[in-house]
């Protein structure tokens, strides 16, 4: 990157300092500016340039980025401008004066401050802010939007990002996350916001806004607990919220539904914005579940379940002949879908294009509709007549009538219900997965995820793949190479590539929407002969390993 003129950088930084209401970020930036003016090393100039080289882009994921001063960071100035732009958009779309906006937040650094600032800006714009009373799960915010008849909702969260990040997720009145063109229209309104001093801010109590009481929390938790049908409840559960906000909600829901209180990983039980026991607070990341699995091994548990920090995702691990293993998101999705189908839940069963194709076969066998969407619950959650939706990245929607988004609390409850029913029959979740494989073929999935420090590496890799698509991967011929950026009748355009391979296999490549990663999703389908699932699994593992090697060579990353 070419370093901008230092004088211009300092001028921008001083203008920012003049309007930043946050004492902490103001002090950090003032120190950095002083270092640069005193002839600081190139690293300090590069830091200042990175903070002021542009602004955090507002998109379908809202805002997400590292905390700190400057327009390219998450801070009070950026948040208040985003809130003002959102308020302007809502009024432009017909929201009447006094319309309610629900605001929730997780336990990350500054989340409560950003939520309060958002409420004051909404109040200043003539809308009525309703703040959730404490750090709570993201799905509770999605529930509250519908339950309270709000025109929109804001959740301050960075989900499972590293501790230095925070974010700002926007929902509209249907309880679903925003999709195009709303994202671009909101971004335009944010860009049109003038100086921060011109943004009216009014204490939330002066215009009818308020901090909500426990009623909305109890309503959500009772609704979730009511999803569990009568049945076996003998299940030893180990649970971790990974230092996030799911702990009290999950324990209450399980107990209300008739399960024994889970054993909670003590070191990860309380919300902690620094996430001290994990490198990344994401149950998908290696090591994140180690403490929970160790507790399960000591206590002879039947299942380990976990949420990510804002509790909209659910992870699980089960014991096996070779020790405990994590269930893949596609496996949990198949178990939940099969459970709901057996219950007779009718409607559309949906997943994203990067998830296993197995859901389509399960739905077809039960005579239910099946839909594939782009990646993201912003697409799944708004489908009409949705019965169940999931993504391989541990996101599941089991109660779309109440939460049109992924919900790690309700998914966790139903997975425990499935596990308890299996235990009562002398079986485990892996046995149920084997049953599905015998009937529909073994659908094995895997992922290659490459984290980069320079986003240009991802752009270059995608360009290489577009210029020279592979003709075979893992010994399977590529039957079709599809550039998803051009769109189709079924899918809007997105930056991605899809390869359809022989024998029902497929590969999808896309940049991550929330992290500096290039992701490759692989699936192979292997028939199960004479009930020998182990043989099918071994064959699938061999093919997936070969596909990984071939993809890495082709992408050059």
């Amino acid at each position: 990157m070419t370093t901008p003129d230092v004088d211009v950088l300092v001028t921008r930084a001083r203008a920012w300092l003049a309007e930043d209401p946050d004492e902490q970020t103001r002090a950090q930036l003032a120190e950095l500016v002083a270092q640069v003016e005193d002839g600081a090393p190139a690293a300090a100039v590069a830091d200042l340039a990175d903070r002021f080289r542009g602004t955090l882009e507002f998109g379908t994921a809202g805002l997400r980025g590292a905390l700190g001063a400057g327009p390219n960071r998450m801070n009070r100035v950026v948040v208040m401008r985003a809130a003002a732009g959102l308020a302007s958009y809502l009024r432009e779309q017909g929201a009447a004066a006094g319309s309610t906006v629900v605001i929730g937040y997780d336990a990350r650094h500054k989340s409560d401050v950003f939520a309060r600032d958002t409420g004051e800006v909404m109040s200043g714009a003539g809308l009525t802010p309703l703040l959730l009373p404490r750090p709570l799960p993201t799905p509770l915010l999605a529930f509250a939007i519908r339950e309270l008849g709000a025109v929109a909702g804001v959740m301050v969260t960075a989900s499972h990002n590293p501790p230095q990040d925070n974010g700002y997720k926007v929902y509209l009145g249907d309880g679903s996350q925003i999709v195009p063109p709303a994202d671009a229209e909101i971004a335009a309104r944010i860009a049109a916001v003038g100086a921060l001093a011109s943004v009216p801010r009014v204490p939330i109590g002066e215009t009818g806004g308020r901090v909500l009481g426990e009623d909305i929390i109890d309503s959500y938790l009772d609704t979730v607990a009511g999803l569990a049908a009568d049945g076996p409840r003998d299940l030893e559960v180990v649970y971790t919220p990974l230092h996030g906000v799911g702990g009290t909600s999950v324990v209450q829901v399980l107990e209300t539904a008739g399960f024994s209180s889970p054993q909670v990983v003590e070191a990860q039980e309380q919300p902690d914005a620094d996430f001290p026991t994990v490198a990344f607070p994401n149950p998908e990341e290696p090591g994140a579940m180690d403490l929970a699995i160790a507790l399960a091994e000591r206590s002879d548990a039947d299942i380990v379940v976990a949420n990510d920090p804002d509790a909209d995702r659910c992870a699980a691990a089960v014991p096996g002949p070779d020790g405990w293993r994590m269930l893949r998101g596609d496996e949990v999705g198949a178990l939940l879908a099969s459970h709901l189908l057996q219950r007779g839940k009718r409607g559309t069963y949906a997943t994203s294009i990067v998830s296993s194709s197995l859901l389509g076969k399960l739905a077809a066998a039960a005579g239910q509709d099946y839909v594939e969407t782009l990646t993201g619950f912003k697409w799944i959650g708004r489908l009409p007549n949705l019965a169940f939706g999931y993504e391989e990245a541990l996101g599941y929607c089991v109660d779309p009538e109440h939460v049109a988004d992924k919900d790690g609390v309700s998914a966790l409850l139903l997975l425990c219900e499935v596990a308890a029913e299996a235990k009562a029959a002398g079986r485990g979740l892996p046995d149920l997965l084997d049953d599905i494989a015998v009937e529909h073929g073994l659908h094995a999935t895997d992922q290659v995820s490459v984290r980069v420090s320079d986003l240009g590496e991802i752009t270059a890799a995608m360009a290489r793949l577009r210029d020279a698509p592979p003709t075979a991967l893992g010994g399977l011929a590529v039957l079709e190479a599809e550039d998803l950026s051009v769109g189709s009748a079924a899918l809007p355009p997105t930056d991605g590539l899809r390869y359809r391979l022989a024998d029902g296999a497929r590969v999808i490549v896309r940049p991550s929407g929330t992290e500096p990663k290039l992701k490759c999703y692989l699936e192979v389908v292997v028939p199960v002969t004479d009930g020998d699932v182990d043989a099918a699994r071994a064959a699938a593992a061999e093919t997936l390993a070969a596909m990984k090697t071939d993809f890495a060579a082709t992408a050059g990353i």
Side-chain angles (χ1 to χ4, degrees):
M1 181 188 75
T2 301
T3 304
D5 181 83
V6 173
D7 290 340
V8 174
L9 280 177
V10 169
T11 299
R12 291 175 182 170
R14 290 203 174 281
W16 183 276
L17 284 168
E19 66 174 5
D20 188 350
D22 190 305
E23 182 178 334
Q24 183 180 24
T25 52
R26 221 172 38 243
Q28 291 171 351
L29 183 57
E31 181 179 352
L32 181 59
V33 169
Q35 291 175 1
V36 170
E37 289 183 321
D38 289 342
V45 177
D47 183 8
L48 193 63
D50 186 56
R51 294 167 183 265
F52 286 88
R53 68 182 178 187
T55 60
L56 282 183
E57 182 178 350
F58 186 94
T60 53
L63 295 167
R64 196 174 293 186
L67 290 161
N72 201 31
R73 297 287 188 272
M74 280 294 298
N75 50 66
R76 294 183 65 190
V77 177
V78 165
V79 164
M80 284 188 278
R81 291 177 62 85
L86 174 60
S88 174
Y89 168 83
L90 293 172
R91 296 302 299 267
E92 191 177 67
Q93 294 296 310
S99 297
T100 54
V101 176
V102 188
I103 303 162
Y105 56 99
D106 66 10
R108 285 178 177 267
H109 294 297
K110 302 285 187 181
S111 286
D112 56 342
V113 177
F114 294 162
R116 177 68 64 169
D117 284 340
T118 298
E120 292 185 356
V121 171
M122 293 296 166
S123 188
L127 301 170
T128 302
L130 303 175
L131 269 65
L132 294 180
R134 60 178 182 274
L136 288 163
T138 292
L140 201 156
L141 180 277
F143 171 87
I145 294 168
R146 287 182 168 183
E147 184 79 356
L148 300 174
V151 295
V154 171
M155 184 70 192
V156 181
T157 178
S159 189
H160 55 279
N161 273 38
Q164 65 268 24
D165 289 359
N166 212 329
Y168 199 80
K169 185 180 289 188
V170 174
Y171 297 75
L172 295 182
D174 61 356
S176 298
Q177 298 177 46
I178 55 171
V179 296
D183 58 338
E185 293 169 355
I186 294 171
R189 301 310 302 168
I190 295 172
V193 174
L196 195 61
S198 69
V199 175
R201 291 172 56 196
V202 177
I204 62 171
E206 292 186 10
T207 59
R210 66 187 188 279
V211 176
L212 294 168
E214 295 295 309
D215 290 355
I216 189 65
I217 300 171
D218 291 340
S219 180
Y220 166 75
L221 297 177
D222 289 345
T223 298
V224 172
L227 296 173
D230 292 336
R233 292 292 188 267
D234 177 21
L235 192 71
E236 294 298 321
V237 179
V238 164
Y239 168 68
T240 175
L242 286 182
H243 301 294
V245 297
T248 56
S249 296
V250 164
V251 171
Q252 182 172 330
V253 161
L254 286 173
E255 291 178 346
T256 302
F259 288 91
S260 298
S261 182
Q263 297 184 72
V264 182
V265 177
E266 185 176 357
Q268 299 173 335
E269 183 173 9
Q270 298 302 319
D272 189 328
D274 293 321
F275 305 104
T277 68
V278 292
F280 285 94
N282 179 354
E284 290 182 290
E285 293 285 345
M289 297 283 283
D290 286 357
L291 292 179
I293 289 174
L295 176 58
E297 290 172 338
R298 295 194 303 270
S299 58
D300 197 28
D302 298 310
I303 189 172
V304 170
V305 284
N307 292 127
D308 66 338
D310 69 327
D312 65 350
R313 301 176 193 237
C314 171
V318 293
D322 300 318
W324 284 80
R325 78 170 181 93
M326 294 289 296
L327 294 178
R328 301 192 69 86
D330 286 315
E331 292 178 312
V332 174
L335 289 168
L336 292 174
S338 180
H339 183 62
L340 293 171
L341 288 165
Q342 289 170 12
R343 276 193 185 180
K345 188 166 187 179
R346 305 182 63 80
T348 297
Y349 285 69
T351 191
S352 65
I353 57 174
V354 301
S355 304
S356 174
S357 59
L358 175 58
L359 182 62
K361 295 181 181 178
L362 292 171
Q368 301 305 302
D369 292 335
Y370 170 69
V371 171
E372 286 185 358
T373 74
L374 294 182
T375 305
F377 258 87
K378 56 185 173 284
W379 302 108
I380 295 172
R382 63 184 56 253
L383 289 172
N385 198 34
L386 182 65
F388 169 74
Y390 95 92
E391 283 194 315
E392 54 76 38
L394 310 183
Y396 315 95
C397 176
V398 300
D399 185 24
E401 294 84 1
H402 296 100
V403 177
D405 197 10
K406 55 185 178 291
D407 184 345
V409 180
S410 57
L412 185 152
L413 172 66
L414 288 197
L415 188 62
C416 287
E417 182 178 54
V418 175
E421 290 177 0
K423 181 181 178 181
R427 313 186 77 209
L429 297 182
D431 298 313
L432 303 186
L433 290 168
D434 286 353
D435 293 346
I436 294 172
V438 169
E439 183 174 358
H440 299 289
L442 179 74
H443 290 63
T445 58
D446 207 344
Q447 185 182 139
V448 178
S449 183
V450 182
R451 184 180 292 270
V452 300
S453 55
D454 180 2
L455 292 177
E457 295 180 56
I458 293 177
T459 303
M462 294 296 289
R464 282 191 293 270
L465 290 167
R466 286 188 168 99
D467 292 342
T471 58
L473 291 169
L476 297 173
V478 175
L479 305 179
E480 180 186 4
E482 183 182 2
D483 188 344
L484 300 176
S485 67
V486 300
S488 68
L491 297 171
T494 189
D495 186 9
L497 301 165
R498 176 164 56 184
Y499 305 113
R500 300 186 189 276
L501 282 64
D503 300 335
R506 63 106 178 100
V507 174
I508 294 176
V509 189
R510 73 175 186 93
S512 170
T514 57
E515 298 177 271
K517 289 181 177 181
L518 181 67
K519 292 188 172 184
C520 174
Y521 306 83
L522 309 98
E523 179 176 35
V524 296
V525 183
V526 180
V528 177
T529 305
D530 299 327
D532 193 347
V533 180
D534 288 341
R537 189 170 287 115
E542 184 177 346
T543 302
L544 285 170
M547 289 169 68
K548 280 185 174 183
T549 300
D550 290 352
F551 167 76
T554 303
I557 194 169

